[in-house]
Amino acid sequence: KCLWFFSKENGHVLSGLQAHPDREHLIYPLGCTLIIKHLKSGKQGFLHGHTNNISCLTVSKSGRYIASGQVTFMGFKADVIIWDYTKREIYAQFTLHKAKVEALVFSPNEKYLLTLGGQDDGSIVLWNVEKKEAICGSPASAHSAGHCLTVGYSSHSDNIFISAGNRTLRVWELDLPNRKIRPTECQTGQLKRIIKCIEIPEDDSFFYCGTTSGDIMKVNLKSRLLSSCGPVKQKFSKGVNALKMLKTGDLLVGSGDGAFSLCSSNNFKIIKRVELEGGVSSVALRGEGQQVFVGTDAAQIYCFGYTDFKPELISTNHSSAVWDTAFPHGSSELFATCSQDDIRVWHTESCKELLRIKVPNMTCNALGLTQDGHSIYSAWNDGKIRVFTPESGRLKLIIHNAHSMGVTAIVSSGDSKRLISGGGEGQVRVWDILQDSYKLVATMKEHKASVNAIKIKSNNQECVTASSDGACIIWDLLRFVRNQMVLANTLFRTVCYHPEEYQIITSGTDRKIGYWEVYDGSAIRELEGSLTGAINGMDISQEGGHFVTGGDEKLIKVWHYFDGDVTHVGVGHSGSISSVRICPNNRFIISTSTDGAILIWRYPHSS
């Protein structure tokens, strides 16, 4: 049972963050899942139905329906799903657009849904929500213009809507008796713009368009003429990504450089301005706009009060693939995760971020916490091992040139005095960690390709390494030589010692789970681990009765160790699973994936 999607939509879906009209929930996508989050309790509900990443999202005026569109592969058709909000299930599913659904919007009385296909499709289609069928469609832009990127609906009329994009801006009217939609080009004179977002105020007299050039166009909806364009001098850097009109007549503007501004709708003069982390991708109003939620592409959600206009960070996550996760020894209260640019420490129960350690432009491949709890050790793609303090995140120690092709795996000894690291070139190195310095103890060269996982025996006298060269080697850490070698026709991704340490289990790209004898390296049994794709992560429970796997199949599987049967399957990830961990008190499983998600699951065999 998945308890938490620890994540904010990674912010790459424009207008992907929506506030539900019931004023109690936020809705946003993560991969192919829609998340409905209760604002007060933080509880999350999940809507599963898409087969690939969600590309756009909208909520109807009353909040009765949610609609979402997805991307798919070239040559295939992309789904649009209308969800029944109260029942939390699929109300209707439409498949018509090729490759991608670019944008969608409900009509004000919820009679119609308007969908726009991506650049490989280029069509605009109007659907009857009640009858669950298409009314009519048309090419979205003229041949001489570029691709259409966004759509907006009139605030009062079900028959008038707007499409905009690369040098195209059209107002459409629905002719229902003849089942036709008829466009009128808006006259913008010499102005050539790429429009990313449309905002139509309540009175329907004008509408506003945010452009990639960093200015806002104000267009008369009735005459289809450009009224004004601004700001003239101080444009919004990196383009306008999100626009919202407040009841006061002022505009909220989110721009690509992370600036969130309140400006006048007459002359576009900035009244208040705040810098946020990451480019603004969504602005959502709660109720009448007393509270504003802002999503950025650095995977942050901020909350603003209208009066003080101060940002409060309410949700955050990694904005790119998460590669590893680790618990402190014997404690399930906290856990750490690593990604490109940073390491983060989280509180397990409340899902709050406690610490962020930033190393810009570098990727952390693996991490762990020493048993004494004094250090977070980490392996980085620049060939360095970095050791940090867990309370403040201060850099305690850095080992330069630890490996020539990046450090790919790392583990600490039980007495916290040694680190064993594996590199992209295949070497395994043992380091003594002193007070403020380090010493290279041994280098073991047997692997021909990158070392993907290292596990150490509880007596600190033996370790096992799994490599992409198809070998798992059990090393003697007293003499620094090979004890045993396990060979298979696979790229090994992960390895675990059984708690009694007489067996190891391995897995990798051949989708098989292998049980091996530590004493002589002989194969005991082999299980079919997944139907499609490699197994990238594996962890075994402390009593040894069960183990968990995850990989490119995007499923979490709990196995009985001795029977070799799957007892539970967890569905929730949208990207390939990169790591899984069972927490020390057997209450939760934490899994991370390449789409930036961290999921917390209830462990089914809690002791």
Side-chain angles (χ1 to χ4, degrees), residues 500-513:
E500 291 172 16
E501 296 179 341
Y502 54 82
Q503 287 176 4
I504 56 169
I505 50 172
T506 62
S507 198
T509 53
D510 65 349
R511 314 193 304 279
K512 306 269 195 297
I513 297 167

Side-chain angles (χ1 to χ4, degrees), residues 8-17 29 31 54-57 281-282:
K8 139 76 175 115
E9 43 102 11
N10 1 30
H12 304 309
V13 180
L14 283 185
S15 301
L17 176 68
I54 293 169
S55 55
C56 51
L57 170 70
S281 58
S282 312

Side-chain angles (χ1 to χ4, degrees), residues 541-563:
S541 63
Q542 280 179 314
E543 77 289 343
H546 296 89
F547 66 95
V548 182
T549 61
D552 296 350
E553 202 179 18
K554 304 172 188 175
L555 300 174
I556 294 285
K557 291 183 180 175
V558 182
W559 301 74
H560 194 284
Y561 187 87
F562 297 105
D563 299 348

Side-chain angles (χ1 to χ4, degrees), residues 52-96:
N52 208 319
N53 288 347
I54 293 169
S55 55
C56 51
L57 170 70
T58 187
V59 182
S60 67
K61 210 168 188 175
S62 70
R64 185 179 163 195
Y65 300 114
I66 302 169
S68 52
Q70 69 169 60
V71 294
T72 184
F73 303 102
M74 274 298 285
F76 292 89
K77 293 194 170 172
D79 289 346
V80 173
I81 296 179
I82 300 179
W83 307 86
D84 186 311
Y85 177 75
T86 43
K87 293 181 184 168
R88 305 281 166 99
E89 63 184 28
I90 294 176
Y91 169 78
Q93 193 158 351
F94 307 132
T95 308
L96 192 70

Side-chain angles (χ1 to χ4, degrees), residues 74-308:
M74 274 298 285
F76 292 89
K77 293 194 170 172
D79 289 346
V80 173
I81 296 179
I82 300 179
W83 307 86
D84 186 311
Y85 177 75
T86 43
K87 293 181 184 168
R88 305 281 166 99
E89 63 184 28
I90 294 176
Y91 169 78
Q93 193 158 351
F94 307 132
T95 308
L96 192 70
H97 294 292
K98 293 188 198 101
K100 181 182 182 183
V101 183
E102 189 74 56
L104 31 71
V105 64
F106 281 103
S107 70
N109 302 319
E110 301 176 3
K111 272 166 65 176
Y112 310 123
L113 174 69
L114 181 70
T115 61
L116 168 68
Q119 64 178 38
D120 300 307
D121 180 82
S123 62
I124 204 163
V125 179
L126 198 65
W127 305 84
N128 187 318
V129 174
E130 194 184 342
K131 293 182 182 170
K132 305 182 186 179
E133 63 181 25
I135 297 168
C136 57
S138 166
S141 50
H143 287 300
S144 58
H147 301 298
C148 195
L149 299 172
T150 184
V151 285
Y153 229 110
S154 151
S155 295
H156 297 297
S157 167
D158 279 345
N159 299 330
I160 295 174
F161 58 88
I162 300 157
S163 70
N166 186 350
R167 305 192 314 282
T168 171
L169 181 57
R170 291 172 147 192
V171 177
W172 301 71
E173 284 189 45
L174 168 65
D175 178 0
L176 193 59
N178 297 318
R179 294 182 75 141
K180 283 269 194 300
I181 46 175
R182 300 198 161 86
T184 314
E185 300 286 344
C186 290
Q187 301 303 316
T188 58
Q190 294 293 306
L191 213 59
K192 300 276 187 289
R193 291 287 184 266
I194 301 171
I195 295 165
K196 296 270 285 277
C197 55
I198 301 171
E199 173 66 2
I200 306 167
E202 281 295 307
D203 61 0
D204 264 355
S205 55
F206 292 93
F207 64 92
Y208 298 86
C209 305
T211 73
T212 54
S213 314
D215 45 20
I216 299 164
M217 296 160 65
K218 182 178 180 181
V219 184
N220 189 314
L221 186 59
K222 293 189 178 54
S223 68
R224 279 66 155 161
L225 294 174
L226 179 69
S227 166
S228 63
C229 180
V232 181
K233 287 182 181 165
Q234 199 83 42
K235 298 208 187 308
F236 296 98
S237 184
K238 293 192 180 175
V240 176
N241 288 344
L243 280 176
K244 275 284 179 284
M245 173 69 92
L246 293 169
K247 283 275 187 284
T248 57
D250 292 329
L251 272 174
L252 292 169
V253 184
S255 50
D257 65 340
F260 179 57
S261 317
L262 177 71
C263 71
S264 157
S265 59
N266 297 323
N267 54 9
F268 307 111
K269 198 174 174 189
I270 294 173
I271 302 162
K272 292 175 181 173
R273 178 188 157 102
V274 181
E275 293 286 340
L276 306 176
E277 185 183 338
V280 175
S281 58
S282 312
V283 176
L285 302 182
R286 185 180 182 187
E288 304 283 307
Q290 301 91 333
Q291 252 186 336
V292 183
F293 295 98
V294 180
T296 75
D297 58 19
Q300 317 262 38
I301 300 178
Y302 295 92
C303 175
F304 284 80
Y306 174 68
T307 43
D308 60 355

